[in-house]
Amino acid sequence: MNYQWNWDLLFSEPYAGWLLAGLGWTVALSITGWFIALLLGATVGVARTSSARWVVLLSGFYVSVFRNIPLLLQMFVWFFVVPELLPAKLGLWFKRDLPNPEFWTAVLALAFYTSGRLAELFRAGLQAVPRGQRMAADATGMNPAQALRYVVMPQALRIILPPLTSEFLSIVKNSSLALTIGVLELTAQSRQIENFTFHGFEAFGAATAFYVLVAFVLNLVMVGLQRTLALPVAV
Amino acid sequence: MFVKKIGLLTAIVAALLPALAKAQEADTALRRIQQNRAVTIGFRESAQPFAYLNENRQASGYSIDVCKRIAQEIGGKLNIPDIAIRYVPVTPQTRIPLIANGTVDIECGTTVNSLARQEQVDFSYAVALAEGRPLVKKTSGIQDLPDLNGKIVALAAGTTAERYVRAALDRSKINVRVLQVRDNAEGLLAVASQRADAFVNDAVLLGGALRTAQNKDDFAVVGEPLSFEQVAFMVGKNNSGLLTIINGTIARLLASGDLQKLYDQWIAPYGVPIEGEVGTLFKIEAIAE
């Protein structure tokens, strides 16, 4: 192959700085998106197990919309369509005056997409807790909110912790789609380096290594969390 | 244990990669052309007017027409009278791998020459100049560089123009917020939807984007060029024989005036005639026999 390898390039300025900045944006996108998704997903997940039929239907609709539409498409809708639908002034603020509009748009898209998936996870987790637990909570005089907060949810969370880990890893990988709306995250920075230097293999090699590293660290954290939270008796 | 494995893997990969890079011979592309009796041209599918697929799904454009002449010249030099031309579509992401592994002999698109890129590939003489200029809404009142202060400027991701534009802005102490867009259509959209105040890119490509726009009279390409770059054809490293033929063809086409005709046919309608720097470039490159 007629290719001039130059790995030193990755350690030279400005390219090293670009990669690190890209890594920073990737982590920021993933973590911000993750916490919003967790909040939304838990809420909608609880709604999915509600006894009110219209709540179940409405939350089911939410899940279908955000889980079934490709993330790339959602990204474009948030970026190109939503600001135009808002009142003119608000739309303009969304596009121009909001600090880092591309970043926050990408966070929203990632969060809503992931929340659709998390909602189903929470629903499954909540339903996996034996019915007797809720009944026992009832019997001790807890109201439904207390039963959820103190009895059912803590057990459900422990059940869904392993799949939650893979969703967390997914959001890191999905964050690379933010490059399509102009966020200079890790993949975008690698592309940038490849365009300036034509050393694409090295740049994308470095990006791959960083993604693996982030996934590895996240995995360690989540496994640690599972160990810490494990109950003496299996649920 | 795990860490050990990763270390081993890294060591293996690191040991293998330089091996791949070794064993480079000179003029592999010419030998390949001789063997296949065909020149493989890498072209861009939507980089009007340089290289694009026309209505009949055929590769066409300024760069393609020049490369056809180059292919004939290669056929003459290698004594292959009926030399065939194969077209392989490339994108900014695939052009380097395809040249590196020998799928593509010459890339004929809108690739811009730069010193950093020359460490990876070789470039022919320039066949056009890319001048970065701002596209703005006529109502915005932006006339030139200083008017951009405090505004939002869209730049096409992955273009080398970006670096020059940033440098030009820094030099003149102009403070802007940069928005990355993916391509010309999106840059135009950003200006149209007021997401950005100006979209800076090559004037020819801007002319191309404006041609297809619905309300093109609302926009204008204004001001002095912020950057100058050479658009050239690209070949793999160590292909000086092929490069000599390419450059010779370009020089002869310029001396005979044929290249100017092609330029007038393809590029001039996009609002960039042969004058000023382009005129000078063409005079300089018409090297004598």
Side-chain angles (χ1 to χ4, degrees), chain B residues 143-161:
Chain B
Q143 291 297 330
D144 214 339
L145 193 62
D147 299 331
L148 289 177
N149 201 8
K151 305 279 187 187
I152 302 174
V153 174
L155 294 172
T159 57
T160 42

Side-chain angles (χ1 to χ4, degrees), chain A residues 1-5 7 15 79-80 84 95-96 101-102 180 182 191-192 194-196 198-199 216, chain B residues 2 17 21 92 95-96 100 116-117 119-120 158 162-163 177 179-180 182 193-195 197 234 237:
Chain A
M1 208 164 74
N2 192 357
Y3 190 87
Q4 329 292 320
W5 293 94
W7 291 96
Y15 309 117
F79 193 67
F80 292 112
E84 308 302 327
K95 285 188 283 194
R96 301 177 60 101
E102 300 86 56
T180 55
R191 261 195 200 184
Q192 198 88 328
E194 113 105 325
N195 265 299
F196 278 122
F198 280 179
H199 284 285
F216 185 68
Chain B
F2 191 65
L17 287 178
R95 57 188 170 189
I96 291 304
R117 289 174 167 190
E119 287 178 14
Q120 187 62 264
E162 197 206 337
R163 180 188 286 182
R177 192 167 76 70
L179 168 72
Q180 290 259 344
R182 274 176 314 152
S193 64
Q194 289 177 275
R195 197 177 271 281
D197 299 294
M234 193 163 72
K237 275 275 175 206

Side-chain angles (χ1 to χ4, degrees), chain A:
Chain A
M1 208 164 74
N2 192 357
Y3 190 87
Q4 329 292 320
W5 293 94
N6 181 6
W7 291 96
D8 295 342
L9 184 96
L10 298 174
F11 303 98
S12 64
E13 280 304 319
Y15 309 117
W18 291 2
L19 276 176
L20 289 180
L23 179 66
W25 282 113
T26 291
V27 171
L29 274 173
S30 313
I31 292 189
T32 323
W34 177 250
F35 280 106
I36 300 175
L38 214 52
L39 224 63
L40 286 170
T43 315
V44 178
V46 170
R48 291 284 283 149
T49 61
S50 160
S51 49
R53 198 171 151 65
W54 66 272
V55 177
V56 175
L57 280 178
L58 207 66
S59 52
F61 179 70
Y62 177 100
V63 170
S64 325
V65 168
F66 289 109
R67 203 170 59 150
N68 295 347
I69 299 174
L71 175 57
L72 185 64
L73 207 63
Q74 292 192 34
M75 206 68 97
F76 286 163
V77 168
W78 283 107
F79 193 67
F80 292 112
V81 184
V82 170
E84 308 302 327
L85 296 179
L86 296 171
K89 266 206 168 143
L90 188 65
L92 219 52
W93 178 83
F94 209 72
K95 285 188 283 194
R96 301 177 60 101
D97 299 328
L98 175 76
N100 291 316
E102 300 86 56
F103 173 78
W104 287 108
T105 312
V107 164
L108 271 183
L110 274 174
F112 274 95
Y113 173 76
T114 310
S115 75
R117 304 170 57 89
L118 290 188
E120 279 306 274
L121 214 58
F122 273 100
R123 180 190 61 78
L126 289 170
Q127 286 173 348
V129 177
R131 283 172 60 205
Q133 295 285 328
R134 200 181 283 262
M135 292 170 183
D138 266 350
T140 56
M142 288 187 184
N143 63 30
Q146 287 171 325
L148 182 72
R149 164 74 183 80
Y150 295 108
V151 178
V152 183
M153 194 53 121
Q155 297 182 58
L157 267 178
R158 285 178 171 83
I159 296 173
I160 64 170
L161 209 48
L164 218 49
T165 310
S166 33
E167 286 298 327
F168 204 168
L169 297 180
S170 287
I171 204 173
V172 176
K173 288 173 279 180
N174 288 339
S175 73
S176 64
L177 282 179
L179 81 92
T180 55
I181 58 170
V183 182
L184 284 176
E185 45 67 70
L186 194 48
T187 311
Q189 295 285 15
S190 317
R191 261 195 200 184
Q192 198 88 328
I193 295 176
E194 113 105 325
N195 265 299
F196 278 122
T197 63
F198 280 179
H199 284 285
F201 290 138
E202 294 89 332
F204 283 106
T208 310
F210 275 131
Y211 277 116
V212 170
L213 184 76
V214 171
F216 185 68
V217 171
L218 276 183
N219 212 15
L220 278 187
V221 171
M222 293 302 270
V223 168
L225 203 62
Q226 276 173 48
R227 287 226 181 94
T228 326
L229 293 181
L231 295 176
V233 200
V235 285

Side-chain angles (χ1 to χ4, degrees), chain B residues 208-269:
Chain B
L210 267 186
R211 277 188 150 201
T212 52
Q214 285 173 338
N215 37 4
K216 52 184 154 205
D217 295 330
D218 295 353
F219 304 98
V221 179
V222 298
E224 290 289 306
L226 301 179
S227 63
F228 269 112
E229 293 171 295
Q230 299 188 359
V231 177
F233 304 140
M234 193 163 72
V235 298
K237 275 275 175 206
N238 296 320
N239 282 298
S240 57
L242 179 60
L243 205 56
T244 309
I245 301 177
I246 295 174
N247 286 339
T249 312
I250 293 173
R252 286 189 192 109
L253 285 175
L254 279 169
S256 67
D258 285 1
L259 195 82
Q260 288 87 335
K261 272 185 208 136
L262 287 175
Y263 189 98
D264 279 335
Q265 179 197 337
W266 289 107
I267 314 284

Side-chain angles (χ1 to χ4, degrees), chain B residues 79-102:
Chain B
N79 276 327
I80 314 171
D82 54 340
I83 192 160
I85 303 178
R86 287 188 203 141
Y87 295 99
V88 173
V90 300
T91 69
Q93 276 79 46
T94 61
R95 57 188 170 189
I96 291 304
L98 288 179
I99 286 220
N101 70 14

Side-chain angles (χ1 to χ4, degrees), chain B residues 100-141:
Chain B
N101 70 14
T103 309
V104 165
D105 298 320
I106 315 170
E107 197 250 13
C108 303
T110 57
T111 304
V112 155
N113 193 344
S114 80
L115 291 178
R117 289 174 167 190
Q118 283 181 21
E119 287 178 14
Q120 187 62 264
V121 289
D122 281 331
F123 288 93
S124 71
Y125 291 162
V127 291
L129 284 182
E131 302 176 342
R133 294 171 70 193
L135 175 129
V136 298
K137 266 194 169 172
K138 277 183 184 158
T139 50
S140 70

